[in-house]
């Protein structure tokens, strides 16, 4: 028994090699890679530790369709050494995978209710599995609205999918800075909430993006009458072990790797914007 537990723990700490099945460039800085599945079941919102050989290991959310167990998909924005190495991977290349880790989005809890999915920038990646799950079970959910903001039109992720999704759910997009040909909204994502159709008392909101965007979104949701106990956010912190041992990812009383990354807003929302935590 003890040996089985030790083996399971060691498994969580040892990367497993996985081959890159395909690679798609999303934007100038962002790439989506599909890996051979590790065989581990996962939930929308969970993340893996991806190890770029010779560079290092970072947490990356699973961005694929939960109904496609034949591929393990991640979307990575190149911001530093490891993420850039992952973005340079080609089909046939290898990466180390540990996981999945962490908590998931409340998809089951959203059944029968209106759903607001609010994303900023690469924050759409961890929410993409939720959109897939909502579309697969479309009749089980009420009105579904995706609100998505990015810096420029060229930074919008999953552009073709956004068009496809818009045939079955409401999709509202906005950019900080327009470009020639952009006919959509300009500005931050929060004002779009006023245009979404939902019952505030019964709706579920799932929010992921830069912390400042999440802070303003939570305030607007509160103002519109969505209770904090029905609002969920995904937090990011630097990580090392991903299994609650090292303390790198501490956020106040919680460890993001173990207790998050998806938290109910009433548990951690108050900490958004406090630099020390
Ligand atoms: C649970 C979780 C899920 C994530 N999912 C994704 C994802 O789906 N796609 C994706 O592209 N990225 C995701 N990230 C962020 C990603 O892990 C970081 O961008 C990565 O660790 C940067 O490592 P690096 O070596 O490339 O850059 P570094 O050299 O370590 O950092 C480059 C810059 O990014 C900043 N930075 C580093 N890590 C973070 C972080 N965790 N949050 C905010 N800023 C950071 C640094 O301060 C620095 O300015 C996730 C992070 C967490 C914690
Ligand atoms: S990354 Fe080690 S405790 Fe969370």
């Amino acid at each position: 028994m003890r040996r089985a537990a030790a083996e399971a723990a060691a498994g969580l700490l040892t990367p497993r090699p996985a081959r890159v099945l395909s690679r798609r460039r999303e934007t100038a800085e962002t790439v989506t890679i599909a890996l051979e599945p590790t065989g581990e079941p996962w939930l929308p919102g969970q993340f893996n530790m991806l190890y770029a050989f010779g560079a290092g290991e970072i947490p990356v959310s699973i961005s694929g369709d939960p109904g496609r167990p034949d591929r393990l998909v991640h979307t990575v924005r190149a911001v530093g050494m490891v993420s850039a190495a992952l973005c340079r991977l080609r089909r046939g290349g290898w990466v180390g995978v540990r996981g999945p880790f962490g908590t998931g989005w409340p998809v089951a809890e959203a059944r029968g209710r209106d759903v607001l999915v609010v994303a900023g920038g690469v924050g759409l990646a961890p929410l993409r599995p939720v959109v897939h799950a909502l579309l697969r079970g479309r009749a089980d959910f009420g009105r579904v609205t995706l609100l998505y903001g990015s810096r420029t039109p060229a930074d919008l992720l999953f552009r073709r999918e956004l068009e496809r999704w818009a045939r079955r759910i409401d999709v509202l997009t906005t950019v900080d800075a327009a470009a020639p040909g952009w006919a959509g909204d300009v500005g931050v994502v929060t004002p779009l909430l006023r245009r979404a159709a939902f019952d505030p008392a019964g709706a579920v909101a799932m929010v992921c993006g830069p912390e400042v965007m999440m802070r303003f979104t939570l305030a607007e949701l509160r103002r519109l009458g969505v209770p904090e106990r029905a609002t969920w956010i995904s937090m990011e912190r630097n990580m090392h072990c991903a299994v609650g041992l090292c303390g790198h990812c501490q956020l106040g009383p919680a460890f993001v790797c173990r207790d998050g990354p998806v938290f109910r807003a009433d548990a951690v929302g108050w900490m958004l914007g406090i630099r020390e935590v």
Side-chain angles (χ1 to χ4, degrees), residues 47 58-61 75-77 79-83 122 125 235-239 261:
F47 66 95
I58 58 169
V60 183
S61 304
T75 300
V76 188
R77 181 161 154 226
V79 297
M81 194 166 91
V82 183
S83 51
V122 79
M235 297 296 298
E236 280 194 14
R237 283 296 178 273
N238 285 331
M239 287 188 185

Side-chain angles (χ1 to χ4, degrees), residues 4-276:
E7 278 172 4
L12 292 175
L13 294 172
T14 312
R16 289 189 227 175
R19 209 154 37 100
V20 179
L21 299 175
S22 67
R23 171 192 195 268
R24 187 177 70 198
R25 177 156 290 285
E26 302 286 352
T27 71
E29 295 173 341
T30 313
V31 162
T32 294
I33 48 174
L35 306 175
E36 271 172 348
T38 56
E40 297 292 335
W42 57 272
L43 298 169
Q46 287 191 301
F47 66 95
N48 282 311
M49 295 298 287
L50 296 188
Y51 180 53
F53 294 105
E57 190 185 49
I58 58 169
V60 183
S61 304
I62 303 171
S63 66
D65 179 350
R68 291 282 313 267
D70 57 322
R71 52 218 299 116
L72 187 57
V73 179
H74 300 81
T75 300
V76 188
R77 181 161 154 226
V79 297
M81 194 166 91
V82 183
S83 51
L86 290 170
C87 285
R88 281 195 300 272
L89 283 167
R90 300 278 156 183
R91 190 169 158 216
W94 291 87
V95 55
V97 182
R98 287 196 295 131
F101 298 116
T103 52
W105 296 106
V107 178
E109 238 177 284
R111 274 178 205 284
R113 300 163 71 174
D114 292 343
V115 186
L116 296 162
V117 177
V118 191
V122 79
L124 183 55
L127 284 165
R128 186 174 176 231
V130 172
V131 176
H132 279 293
L134 296 173
L135 290 173
R136 273 181 193 278
R138 185 66 197 90
D140 298 338
F141 302 93
R143 290 167 289 189
V144 176
T145 309
L146 167 66
L147 307 103
Y148 176 38
S150 80
R151 284 178 298 185
T152 69
D155 292 310
L156 286 167
L157 293 180
F158 317 128
R159 254 172 286 175
R160 282 207 200 123
E161 278 167 85
L162 288 171
E163 285 167 22
R164 275 207 303 277
W165 296 344
R167 292 183 210 134
R168 301 183 59 205
I169 59 174
D170 289 335
V171 177
L172 304 173
T173 48
T174 185
V175 295
D176 295 337
W182 175 254
D185 282 85
V186 178
V188 292
V189 78
T190 35
L192 300 184
L193 278 166
R194 284 172 232 149
R195 302 219 313 260
F198 62 98
D199 162 29
V204 172
M206 306 184 211
V207 185
C208 187
E211 289 197 8
V212 63
M213 167 265 178
M214 294 203 286
R215 183 151 46 94
F216 281 103
T217 303
L218 293 196
E220 183 66 5
L221 286 167
R222 251 194 320 266
R223 207 186 61 77
L224 293 170
V226 181
E228 283 207 331
R229 63 175 185 281
T231 302
W232 303 73
I233 58 179
S234 185
M235 297 296 298
E236 280 194 14
R237 283 296 178 273
N238 285 331
M239 287 188 185
H240 189 57
C241 72
V243 292
L245 291 176
C246 72
H248 262 68
C249 66
Q250 190 158 3
L251 177 73
F255 284 174
V256 174
C257 68
R258 185 193 61 196
D259 308 315
V262 178
F263 292 93
R264 221 169 70 174
D266 52 359
V268 294
W270 60 273
M271 283 188 260
L272 286 178
I274 303 177
R275 290 186 78 84
E276 305 84 69

